[in-house]
Amino acid sequence: MNKPVRPMSSLSLKLPTAGGGLETYRLAASRTFPAKLEGTLNRIAFSAAHVVADPRADVDPWLAAAIDWDKTIAFREHVWDLGLGVAEAMDTAQRGMGLDWPTSLELIQRSVKAAKARGNALVFSGAGTDHLAVDDAKSLDDVIRAYEEQIAAVEKVGGRIILMASRALAKLGRNADDYAKVYDRVLSQVREPVIIHWLGDMFDPALTGYWGTKDLDQAMNTAVAIINGNAAKVDGVKVSLLDKQREIDMRRRLDKRIRMYTGDDFNYAELIAGDEQGFSHALLGIFDAIAPAASYALSRLAAGDEAGFHDVLGPTVPLSRHIFKAPTRFYKTGVVFMAYLNGHQNHFTMVGGQESTRSTLHLAELFRLADKAGLLANPELATRRMTTILTTRGIES
């Protein structure tokens, strides 16, 4: 199923090049992956899922978010069909970057309801402090109350928690003791063990100096001490630093009860495969864009076919590194563009107008890399849609 189904594609289109010209790009041999999980998985894998904007809504995108709820939940059904979990209302869903807390809560409510209707499909949801404006946060107690409010709202609908990093805490927290005060208090109250998310400043510059220091070694020491000190309340840790060695080092220092969920969109294949001392589970934004390939690769790994795992997942890494290239916070544009190319939505419109954050050259290279990795589910549709985007941006064959 993971092998090319034809030796050569007859499809081609004109794509822009860095020198200002056009080249004829001929699509590679296509690959097909199952639409539903075949077999079992021996890794827990979450897709941090995007939201589908409603392009017909009468809103100003910079000021208000309009969501196509039917398409948004349908995408989550697609993820669950593949045996993956949904990490809901995270930065991939433009949380705090166009998606405010009231809309995030509605998203969480709808997603948890849909998961329960499927017999409790796997979904964890982000709880943070983003309804508290950073300038209005005057004390650590303000941060604690903000966390408590969102946790209570998620737990009220039966949701599990991903404890998101807090911009307000990044502003107010001066040292390890400040972070320990907040996390110890908040974790003592959660109903079920949570996933703690350490989001690096390459994803959100407002989180610079998280854990009370810009020194990542010291930050790691603080995070590990707090997390291990609350091990009974922590399901796992998602690290999004794009630094595989730091993730491995942290993984080896965690209490054995605590899972590591890789958030490294540059090195996920080798981190998930692991080594003789352990492996990482996954909670990744790129798994939104490559969900069928990720599911199939993980099923091969569970079947003992590590070569097959790398054969499928390895070629997706160059695409992921492109989508998540600096400025990394704009990666969501590439994720949504992949959803558009693959037919999960019929437009390339984003919350906050963020379809504009990447260049036409960037999107053209994304198309090339997605094709080479066999990630275009319907190459004919993807080619038509790529051509449409190029035409709207003034590039015609």
Side-chain angles (χ1 to χ4, degrees):
M1 183 65 74
N2 65 309
K3 298 301 182 184
V5 297
R6 60 188 182 196
M8 181 180 296
S9 173
S10 61
L11 293 168
S12 66
L13 74 166
K14 294 290 183 66
L15 293 177
T17 62
L22 292 174
E23 68 170 7
T24 298
Y25 177 78
R26 183 173 297 280
L27 277 70
S30 63
R31 304 177 97 171
T32 57
F33 301 104
K36 295 187 177 182
L37 174 65
E38 295 182 355
T40 59
L41 302 181
N42 61 358
R43 303 288 191 269
I44 300 170
F46 288 91
S47 163
H50 76 284
V51 293
V52 181
D54 181 356
R56 300 184 180 186
D58 184 15
V59 299
D60 296 308
W62 283 18
L63 303 178
I67 308 298
D68 182 332
W69 293 115
D70 289 342
K71 288 290 187 181
T72 293
I73 296 302
F75 188 80
R76 281 136 181 82
E77 298 281 357
H78 158 70
V79 170
W80 287 323
D81 280 346
L82 292 164
L84 308 179
V86 169
E88 192 55 274
M90 303 295 291
D91 51 293
T92 306
Q94 297 177 241
R95 177 75 175 272
M97 305 169 192
L99 197 72
D100 60 15
W101 167 239
T103 312
S104 297
L105 180 57
E106 182 174 359
L107 173 62
I108 291 166
Q109 291 167 336
R110 289 173 177 267
S111 191
V112 170
K113 181 179 179 181
K116 291 185 182 301
R118 291 178 61 105
N120 293 319
L122 183 61
V123 58
F124 275 54
S125 303
T129 67
D130 48 315
H131 65 292
L132 173 66
V134 172
D135 289 342
D136 293 337
K138 305 302 182 185
S139 70
L140 296 178
D141 287 335
D142 291 339
V143 176
I144 291 168
R145 281 190 292 269
Y147 268 128
E148 290 171 341
E149 182 178 336
Q150 292 201 13
I151 288 168
V154 176
E155 290 184 340
K156 183 178 180 180
V157 299
R160 296 289 301 274
I161 301 292
I162 300 171
L163 199 64
M164 301 175 69
S166 165
R167 291 173 176 172
L169 181 54
K171 172 198 171 187
L172 295 172
R174 302 300 180 194
N175 51 47
D177 289 342
D178 287 348
Y179 280 79
K181 175 182 177 179
V182 172
Y183 277 88
D184 289 349
R185 181 87 63 82
V186 170
L187 290 171
S188 72
Q189 301 175 63
V190 295
R191 184 181 301 165
E192 296 180 87
V194 308
I195 297 172
I196 290 178
H197 188 189
W198 181 359
L199 188 67
D201 58 11
M202 69 288 294
F203 288 91
D204 185 351
L207 297 175
T208 299
Y210 211 72
W211 304 110
T213 177
K214 292 182 180 179
D215 184 313
L216 285 177
D217 291 331
Q218 293 182 28
M220 181 76 74
N221 291 338
T222 298
V224 169
I226 291 171
I227 292 164
N228 284 347
N230 292 279
K233 294 288 190 173
V234 180
D235 171 271
V237 180
K238 168 180 163 60
V239 177
S240 298
L241 297 177
L242 304 182
D243 184 331
K244 66 179 180 181
Q245 193 56 52
R246 287 192 186 279
E247 177 178 319
I248 292 168
D249 292 344
M250 188 175 189
R251 185 172 74 197
R252 291 173 180 171
R253 295 174 63 184
L254 290 175
D255 185 289
K256 298 304 181 186
R257 293 170 286 179
I258 299 172
R259 299 180 178 94
M260 173 60 74
Y261 292 94
T262 185
D264 189 335
D265 299 278
F266 285 6
N267 303 291
Y268 51 90
E270 57 188 293
L271 290 164
I272 292 168
D275 56 31
E276 66 281 355
Q277 297 187 52
F279 58 83
S280 295
H281 298 276
L283 199 165
L284 290 160
I286 193 59
F287 275 15
D288 178 300
I290 67 167
S295 170
Y296 184 73
L298 290 167
S299 74
R300 298 313 310 152
L301 185 65
D305 179 13
E306 187 166 340
F309 166 81
H310 286 294
D311 175 61
V312 173
L313 210 57
T316 72
V317 173
L319 171 68
S320 186
R321 291 182 176 181
H322 179 70
I323 288 175
F324 284 80
K325 70 185 294 185
T328 303
R329 64 186 182 277
F330 295 149
Y331 77 87
K332 294 165 281 291
T333 302
V335 168
V336 174
F337 192 58
M338 281 291 293
Y340 170 65
L341 292 178
N342 281 328
H344 295 292
Q345 53 195 79
N346 58 10
H347 59 84
F348 180 41
T349 304
M350 294 178 65
V351 170
Q354 288 205 26
E355 65 273 14
S356 67
T357 67
R358 293 296 200 186
S359 71
T360 305
L361 282 172
H362 180 92
L363 298 181
E365 183 63 12
L366 182 156
F367 183 90
R368 294 183 186 96
L369 292 170
D371 173 58
K372 290 173 182 176
L375 296 172
L376 299 179
N378 181 332
E380 291 84 359
L381 174 66
T383 300
R384 287 199 306 272
R385 290 188 165 186
M386 184 75 234
T387 302
T388 297
I389 294 298
L390 292 173
T391 300
T392 63
R393 295 188 173 201
I395 299 173
E396 299 187 50
S397 299

